[in-house]
Amino acid sequence: MTVIEDILRALEGASDPVAELRARVLQENGLWFDPEEVRGIVEIQLAGLVGVGPSVTSAVDDWVEQAKAMCAREALQAG
């Protein structure tokens, strides 16, 4: 299982996907700004992928979509 697949599985089973992704970003010594600290576009970078949105929740959703797309591409390439 790749790192991205591991993160996706954790997010799918999480009661709060935002909190789960926050924990993963901080675990990797990344920066995380809580929603009340953010004004403007939110960008989440983790495992080489970027999620962007007008809120933390939408940036997490975008990151998840990017991760799913990457896993699908890798599966197609693997045959």
Side-chain angles (χ1 to χ4, degrees):
M1 179 181 320
T2 68
V3 171
I4 292 173
E5 290 171 328
D6 180 51
I7 295 169
L8 281 173
R9 286 181 198 247
L11 291 173
E12 289 172 359
S15 61
D16 185 351
V18 172
E20 178 65 29
L21 199 60
R22 178 185 187 275
R24 297 287 181 133
V25 168
L26 295 175
Q27 179 181 335
E28 296 297 321
N29 296 317
L31 297 174
W32 184 275
F33 296 97
D34 290 314
E36 59 273 1
E37 299 171 2
V38 176
R39 291 187 178 89
I41 300 296
V42 177
E43 180 177 303
I44 297 171
Q45 297 181 20
L46 182 63
L49 298 177
V50 178
V52 178
S55 69
V56 173
T57 301
S58 63
V60 168
D61 291 342
D62 186 56
W63 189 94
V64 168
E65 290 305 313
Q66 301 299 325
K68 287 178 179 178
M70 176 174 268
C71 289
R73 280 192 305 273
E74 289 176 353
L76 282 173
Q77 290 175 349

